């Protein structure tokens, strides 16, 4: 199957700093990618849909100025958590559908804000 | 709005047993249905994708079925192994290449 990578896998930062997470589709192009966050022992919560060449679509309750998404190419989407606070600590996962609309997920990024 | 429910929330079986995980969805106008497994602290691994025109898919010891009319999908695992222990999630996108709705998952424990 297709491969989606995420970088970094883990990040620890101080409160108030910004953190950028990259999501790459390695062997296919993705005009759309999805960003999720997951709290311990809970299911995935969709944050936003990243659209190549246009603005991201955010889910209700997700602050677009807090979670900046850029989808500058057909293989890369980035999520920047701006002015991170401890409550932003979570597991962030991206996914991308291939041409058959099979979703492939990245390995996730564990963010810890001190 | 699509809602996806998975039953049971947790399941513990002895090694070698066959088992069935259930997934139900409220909107039968789905494009496809996908089953994943997630190991603790990891991303999701795609197991099986069933297109809306299909009724089942098989991969090794796994078989997934889809009944759109009843809004149900099942994941059958044959001859379970301790390595099958994980959380299993089903999801369905709202449009072609659209955002997916996930169930809460079934956490499976296979005891040696």
């Amino acid at each position: 199957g297709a491969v989606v990578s995420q970088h970094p896998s883990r990040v620890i930062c101080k409160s108030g700093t910004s953190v950028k997470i990259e999501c790459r589709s390695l062997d296919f192009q993705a005009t759309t990618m999805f960003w999720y966050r997951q709290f311990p022992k809970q299911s995935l919560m969709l944050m936003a849909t990243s659209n190549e060449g246009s603005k991201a679509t955010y889910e209700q309750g997700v602050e677009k100025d807090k979670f900046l998404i850029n989808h500058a190419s057909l293989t890369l989407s980035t999520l920047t958590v701006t002015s991170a606070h401890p409550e932003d600590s979570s597991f962030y996962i991206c996914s991308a559908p291939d041409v058959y609309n099979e979703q492939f997920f990245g390995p996730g990024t564990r963010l810890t804000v001190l | 709005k699509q809602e996806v429910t998975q039953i049971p929330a947790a399941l513990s079986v002895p090694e070698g047993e066959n088992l069935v995980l259930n997934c139900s969805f409220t909107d039968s106008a789905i494009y496809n249905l996908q089953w994943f497994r997630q190991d603790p602290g990891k991303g999701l691994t795609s197991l099986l994708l069933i297109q809306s025109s299909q009724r089942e898919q098989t991969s090794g010891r796994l078989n997934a079925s889809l009944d759109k009319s009843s809004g149900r999908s099942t994941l059958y695992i044959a001859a379970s192994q301790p390595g099958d222990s994980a959380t299993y999630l089903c999801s369905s996108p709202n449009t072609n290449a659209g955002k997916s709705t996930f169930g809460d998952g079934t956490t499976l424990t296979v005891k040696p």
Side-chain angles (χ1 to χ4, degrees):
Chain A
V3 179
V4 174
S5 70
Q6 269 184 254
H7 178 80
S9 58
R10 287 180 179 272
V11 58
I12 301 173
C13 69
K14 294 182 179 180
S15 184
T17 60
S18 294
V19 175
K20 180 185 285 189
I21 303 170
E22 293 185 348
C23 177
R24 293 181 185 272
S25 57
L26 297 185
D27 48 4
F28 68 105
Q29 295 182 333
T31 56
T32 302
M33 292 184 177
F34 302 96
W35 286 97
Y36 298 82
R37 67 185 297 181
Q38 185 178 35
F39 293 105
K41 298 190 177 182
Q42 294 187 22
S43 192
L44 286 78
M45 183 190 82
L46 179 66
M47 299 174 65
T49 302
S50 174
N51 305 298
E52 189 267 335
S54 64
K55 293 182 179 180
T57 305
Y58 291 83
E59 295 301 299
Q60 190 173 8
V62 178
E63 300 176 57
K64 61 180 181 180
D65 295 329
K66 173 75 171 176
F67 299 99
L68 299 179
I69 291 173
N70 183 275
H71 196 150
S73 77
L74 288 172
T75 59
L76 173 64
S77 174
T78 60
L79 168 68
T80 301
V81 183
T82 62
S83 186
H85 288 93
E87 58 266 30
D88 298 322
S89 298
S90 189
F91 191 55
Y92 293 86
I93 315 177
C94 68
S95 76
D98 67 3
V99 293
Y100 304 105
N101 200 21
E102 182 171 0
Q103 293 279 350
F104 291 93
F105 281 78
T109 297
R110 173 75 58 191
L111 171 63
T112 303
V113 185
L114 303 176
Chain B
K1 180 184 175 184
Q2 178 76 277
E3 293 183 6
V4 178
T5 305
Q6 291 188 245
I7 295 173
L11 181 64
S12 180
V13 300
E15 182 176 5
E17 216 170 84
N18 303 324
L19 58 101
V20 175
L21 307 181
N22 297 290
C23 172
S24 61
F25 44 93
T26 54
D27 186 353
S28 61
I30 61 172
Y31 280 77
N32 61 46
L33 190 134
Q34 197 166 352
W35 283 92
F36 299 87
R37 71 172 278 168
Q38 184 178 29
D39 294 286
K42 305 292 184 181
L44 277 67
T45 300
S46 178
L47 296 174
L48 289 165
L49 171 71
I50 311 176
Q51 300 291 354
S52 62
S53 59
Q54 299 174 324
R55 294 195 60 96
E56 67 175 341
Q57 282 287 336
T58 298
S59 176
R61 294 182 293 108
L62 305 179
N63 176 276
S65 68
L66 175 63
D67 184 344
K68 288 176 57 178
S69 62
S70 66
R72 294 181 182 179
S73 176
T74 61
L75 178 67
Y76 174 82
I77 302 177
S80 58
Q81 303 171 356
D84 295 331
S85 298
T87 296
Y88 290 81
L89 296 142
C90 66
S91 78
S92 179
N94 63 343
T95 62
N96 191 24
K99 58 185 182 181
S100 295
T101 300
F102 279 84
D104 288 337
T106 294
T107 299
L108 172 66
T109 302
V110 181
K111 298 179 180 179

